[in-house]
Amino acid sequence: MVRPRLKALLVGCAVALLGGCVSVLPDPGTPDVLYRVEAAQPLPLNDHVIVRQPDAPSLYAGQALVSEDETGALRLLPSVEWAGPVTRQIQLALVDSFEPGAEGTAMLPEAGTFAPYELSVRISALNLAGQDAVCEARATLIRQRGRSIVAQQLIAERVGASDNVSLTRARALKGAAEACVASIAAFTADALGD
């Protein structure tokens, strides 16, 4: 009978110690403002396309808004975040950038349907650089059968912030992301129109 009591005492001490460890961790904090990436005026499509979630370095792919100083050091903007992973928001904004129609529709891969084309995007920059918000990406339209590249384009968008206040700079970054989405959508519609 002594052995089960000793075991229970050790388990109780371990739980108490772990509870104490958790309480010394800093509180992650709640952002004051959340931003989302939205689509502009929807464009018509001449064919069906699957829109993949963009690839991006992990620093740019999450919810943090990133700023680069003059030395090249990257920092997270305090008190502001994307409303969800920005690569997913860009994917959803791209799908919303096209009018659904009989001739062509943009779809998410999880729809489980086949489309003759696939849109793949690689984001290389989505950050603040001084007073400018920068979005740089490579958009690739791929023919599903044979996996051949139909068209490819580098996208580079810059939006200036009027001051150095975090919220103003965050709005500029939102604007740069949305300008990237609009340029990628226009590239896709043009490539499928040829």
Side-chain angles (χ1 to χ4, degrees), residues 106-128:
M107 298 168 281
L108 296 170
E110 53 265 33
T113 60
F114 175 80
Y117 297 96
E118 173 185 310
L119 176 62
S120 175
V121 176
R122 169 85 176 135
I123 298 169
S124 56
L126 182 57
N127 61 281
L128 291 152

Side-chain angles (χ1 to χ4, degrees), residues 56-68 74 82 85-87 90 123-128 134:
S58 58
L59 185 62
Y60 300 134
Q63 287 185 242
L65 278 73
V66 180
S67 177
E68 181 178 357
L74 298 173
W82 295 112
V86 72
T87 51
I90 289 172
I123 298 169
S124 56
L126 182 57
N127 61 281
L128 291 152
V134 178

